[in-house]
Structure formats: structure tokens, C-alpha cells
Amino acid sequence: MTSQDHNKVIGIMHLIWGGFNALLMLLMIPFIIILLGPMGSDPTPSLQFKAVFGMFWALIIGITTIFAIPPLIAAYGMLKRKSWGRIAGIVAAFFTAFSMPFGTALCVYTLWFLFGQGEQFYRGAKVEDWRGSLRDANTFDWEAQRTSSAGRDKDYVPPPQPPDWRS
């Protein structure tokens, strides 16, 4: 696979991973509302229990958000080949490393690419790399090109017609 293929695959995988975490967060919010709704009308739970339960769910939503946003940002940066995509990919890889086993595998693959081929892929060509590789326009032999094209036949000849296979 080429560097472009690795970059595209890793970007898509981070997009799927971040989308999966965001979907989990969106599925937890109605569940939290359903659980907290009857608790507010029930006179038996204490105020401290409600506070602890609310902080617990806020912590879960916060952690899920923290684990969902970096892969989505990295996926965007990598798929659009932004200059900051490599750094975002490294940060997202460390966030996905905590989720065994698929997140860890994605982390290893991302870091393998970004510290290997990806470093050159995101660095791009510098001016010093191509300087001198282009010929000077003044050294191009324009007169020889003009005389060689003057000798060519200028009449248009249509291409031959294909055979009629219907008969």
C-alpha cells in the first residue's frame, strides 16, 4: 500500500471510531433522562444520592466526549490532508489506546504509519528538494520544436470506421 492508501484507511478508521463513541454518547443521554426523570418525582431518594448519580453520569458523558472528539478531528485532518493532520492523528491514537483491543490496534497502526511513512507524507516536498530539477525555459530549444512541427502534415485524416458486426 502507498502512503496515501495508509493515510486514507487510518482516517476512515478514526472516523468510524469517533463516530462509534459519539453514537454511544447519544444513546446514553436518553437513558440518563429516563433514569433521572422518575428519581426527581420520587420523594425517597436523598438529595446527595441524586447529586452523586448526576455527577456519575456527567463524568461518563464527559469521558465519552473526550474519547469521541479527537478521533473525529484527526479523521478530518487526515482525510483532507491538512498539515496538522499528523499531530491530530498522534493525539487521537493515544486516546484510542485505552480501548482494548480494537482501539489499541488502531493506535499501533496509526503510530506505525505516522512515525514511519507518514512523516515524509505530511512533510511534503520542500523547495530545496525540487530546486534544479526543472529545466530553465531559456535553454529549451524553441526553434528546433518549431521546425519539427512545421514538417508535419497538417491535413486532418479521420480515424477508420469500425467494422459493422450486425450483418
Side-chain angles (χ1 to χ4, degrees):
M1 285 177 57
T2 64
S3 295
Q4 293 175 352
D5 294 337
H6 283 296
N7 187 61
K8 184 176 181 180
V9 167
I10 292 172
I12 291 171
M13 291 170 82
H14 276 287
L15 186 66
I16 291 169
W17 190 260
F20 177 71
N21 283 328
L23 179 67
L24 283 178
M25 183 183 66
L26 290 176
L27 290 176
M28 280 193 290
I29 290 174
F31 183 69
I32 293 168
I33 292 172
I34 289 170
L35 285 179
L36 291 178
M39 195 183 313
S41 63
D42 188 14
T44 56
S46 66
L47 186 59
Q48 292 83 13
F49 179 74
K50 289 186 211 178
V52 169
F53 196 69
M55 286 190 303
F56 171 73
W57 281 109
L59 179 70
I60 289 178
I61 289 176
I63 289 173
T64 307
T65 303
I66 288 172
F67 282 100
I69 291 176
L72 292 174
I73 292 172
Y76 173 78
M78 292 177 83
L79 290 174
K80 295 291 184 178
R81 297 185 186 166
K82 300 287 185 183
S83 60
W84 48 266
R86 180 174 179 264
I87 302 300
I90 293 169
V91 170
F94 285 114
F95 277 106
T96 60
F98 294 111
S99 302
M100 288 287 288
F102 299 113
T104 306
L106 178 58
C107 170
V108 169
Y109 181 39
T110 302
L111 294 177
W112 170 80
F113 170 69
L114 292 177
F115 285 114
Q117 298 172 353
E119 193 170 354
Q120 179 67 26
F121 181 75
Y122 279 100
R123 185 173 349 128
K126 294 182 179 176
V127 175
E128 294 81 26
D129 294 340
W130 60 265
R131 183 166 292 164
S133 64
L134 300 175
R135 292 187 358 190
D136 188 16
N138 294 331
T139 62
F140 189 74
D141 195 3
W142 294 103
E143 201 57 41
Q145 289 295 323
R146 189 177 309 133
T147 57
S148 69
S149 65
R152 281 190 275 158
D153 191 17
K154 301 236 194 281
D155 294 333
Y156 173 74
V157 179
Q161 294 296 320
D164 187 13
W165 297 101
R166 293 176 284 178
S167 57

